[in-house]
Amino acid sequence: MRLVMTLLVRDEEYIVRANVDFHLARGVDFVIATDNRSEDGTAAILEEYERAGVLHLIHETDDDYAQGRWVTRMARLAATDHGADWVINNDADEFWCPLAGDLRSTLQSVPEGTDAVLVPRFNFVVPSEAADAPPDERPFQERMTVRYATPFDPIKQGPIQPKMAHRAHPEATVLQGNHDVQWPGRGAVADGGGLEILHFPIRTEAQFANKIAKGGAAYERNHEVPEQYGRRWRRLLEAQRRGEFGDVFAGVVLDEDAVARGLATGELVADRRLAEALEPMV
């Protein structure tokens, strides 16, 4: 069984190496990455893996965040050019964790006739004492070791959508957001599949602000996708333009007392899986 991961990135130099190393160590055989106009060291890092023969890098210069089209291109390449049996369509801030075994064996055990699995995502909180820690001095996985116990989005105060892993198919179409993959005759979709996604979308205020400034503006330029896609990005961009982004960031940061209360009530749980997994790789 061959497992290929796709990865769409922009300005992710402080997390992309950890992401690629983590997944290669847990059963991913090959990575297809698209770098979309990064202005930091992201592309150079990915080029290292390309020279090592474990990654194919695509440079995408359009600036309209056509995520569905770009990830569809990678997912189809995984099936047609890289011999994939299963595909994980990933983002740099997501770490797919098997509950037992590794990613390859977990997906290999999915019954025939089930062509995709929906995998829950769990957001990690940004504690106040670590919110301003320089990412090059204290890596995110050491600062962020507490998460929400359920798939919860603290910005919208509601559930966070799962992501989908799927059997490779040359006609696969990945929908905007990577939450669904479709093709003619696709079989059943299962929940969970023995996997969880550890999600670190907000790591520092500067990282989050850069993501919204560039990603939100790119969404505005995209006329391919319906308005319901990227609504949160658009709202956050408007808040940023009104000078209210600091308040948005402050609203998701939890101080020591809030973390303690969350742990006591079970709303939050300690989770050091990523910190421990990445420790020997540093």
Side-chain angles (χ1 to χ4, degrees), residues 189-201:
V189 177
D191 289 330
L195 300 169
E196 294 178 344
I197 298 173
L198 311 183
H199 193 209
F200 299 82

Side-chain angles (χ1 to χ4, degrees), residues 9-227:
V9 293
R10 182 170 187 171
D11 292 346
E12 297 285 13
E13 66 177 342
Y14 291 117
I15 195 170
V16 69
R17 189 184 299 278
N19 188 291
V20 174
D21 286 346
F22 176 87
H23 291 99
L24 289 176
R26 275 153 189 79
V28 167
D29 296 292
F30 193 78
V31 179
I32 304 173
T34 295
D35 179 78
N36 179 219
R37 301 172 64 92
S38 288
E39 296 179 325
D40 60 5
T42 300
I45 292 169
L46 294 174
E47 286 165 0
E48 293 178 25
Y49 292 94
E50 187 169 46
R51 289 192 294 272
V54 296
L55 184 146
H56 171 63
L57 179 59
I58 300 168
H59 294 278
E60 177 55 65
T61 58
D62 285 353
D63 198 10
D64 60 356
Y65 199 59
Q67 181 190 36
R69 177 157 48 84
W70 300 340
V71 179
T72 291
R73 175 175 60 194
M74 292 190 287
R76 292 181 178 184
L77 279 173
T80 60
D81 291 23
H82 296 283
D85 297 294
W86 277 86
V87 180
I88 291 172
N89 298 306
N90 201 19
D91 293 329
D93 56 15
E94 296 172 345
F95 294 78
W96 295 59
C97 285
L99 301 182
D102 62 15
L103 293 168
R104 190 187 300 113
S105 63
T106 299
L107 290 170
Q108 191 170 18
S109 68
V110 174
E112 289 295 327
T114 297
D115 284 344
V117 292
L118 280 174
V119 183
R121 290 187 292 168
F122 296 90
N123 277 340
F124 279 68
V125 303
V126 183
S128 57
E129 66 272 18
D132 298 321
D136 54 347
E137 293 182 9
R138 193 175 178 204
F140 74 97
Q141 71 271 13
E142 296 177 9
R143 295 183 286 113
M144 302 172 68
T145 57
V146 174
R147 64 170 172 85
Y148 291 94
T150 61
F152 176 76
D153 183 336
I155 290 181
K156 73 175 186 179
Q157 292 291 301
I160 180 175
Q161 287 181 277
K163 285 293 190 74
M164 181 178 284
H166 64 94
R167 292 191 192 274
H169 195 282
E171 298 179 60
T173 297
V174 183
L175 277 63
Q176 192 84 0
N178 296 351
H179 303 295
D180 193 9
V181 185
Q182 300 175 356
W183 64 84
R186 190 195 71 183
V189 177
D191 289 330
L195 300 169
E196 294 178 344
I197 298 173
L198 311 183
H199 193 209
F200 299 82
I202 305 172
R203 302 180 296 280
T204 67
E205 184 171 2
Q207 164 264 324
F208 189 38
N210 181 66
K211 178 177 180 178
I212 295 305
K214 293 180 178 177
Y219 253 121
E220 285 186 330
R221 290 186 287 271
N222 189 319
H223 303 294
E224 297 180 11
V225 299
E227 278 291 318

